[in-house]
Structure formats: C-alpha cells, structure tokens
Amino acid sequence: MKITIESTSKIVELNGVPMRIWEGETSDGIKVHCYVTRIAVRHEDDQTQFQQELREHRAPSAEVEAIPLRMVL
C-alpha cells in the first residue's frame, strides 16, 4: 500500500506525546489521516531541505479540526 500525505497545522497530544496530524489518501483514493511524532531523513545532505519544507503546513480539514487537542487512549 502507498499513501500520499500532507502536513497540516493541527497538533494533538496523545498520552503526553505531541504529534502533528497529516492528511492524505491511498493510491486507491481512500482518505486517511496520520498522527506523526517523528520523521527520519535517510541522507544527511537532505536534512536542511527537508526541515525547510517541513515548516509548510496547510489548514486541516473540518474532520481533522474536530479532533480534540488532547486525546486519551
């Protein structure tokens, strides 16, 4: 399975860990949202560019915006 995701400005906390919500879809068009705490960049040379691009966020969809800022599982 492949998914394409895009960073949103929405950050929630789950069990004391802050995470940014990313939204996207699978290659078959199924809508998803991901709770991302960390991302590792494979090649150190790409680190600077990745960090610059990571600063770009879009507004979350209404569905994601409705997720509570603090989640408890």
Side-chain angles (χ1 to χ4, degrees):
M1 172 190 292
K2 289 187 179 187
I3 60 172
T4 301
I5 56 175
E6 185 177 1
S7 176
T8 73
S9 57
K10 179 79 172 191
I11 296 176
V12 296
E13 186 176 300
L14 180 60
N15 296 332
V17 179
M19 49 193 67
R20 184 173 302 277
I21 300 181
W22 292 53
E23 292 187 85
E25 62 183 47
T26 68
S27 55
D28 289 332
I30 299 169
K31 302 283 185 194
V32 299
H33 52 269
C34 305
Y35 299 81
V36 178
T37 59
R38 294 176 181 86
I39 298 176
V41 177
R42 180 176 280 177
H43 299 290
E44 190 173 324
D45 297 343
D46 297 331
Q47 187 83 341
T48 301
Q49 180 180 351
F50 182 82
Q51 287 176 346
Q52 289 172 349
E53 292 178 17
L54 193 57
R55 291 187 186 110
E56 301 172 12
H57 310 293
R58 69 173 181 82
S61 68
E63 178 184 55
V64 167
E65 188 60 49
I67 297 171
L69 292 177
R70 180 178 206 108
M71 299 175 53
V72 180
L73 293 181

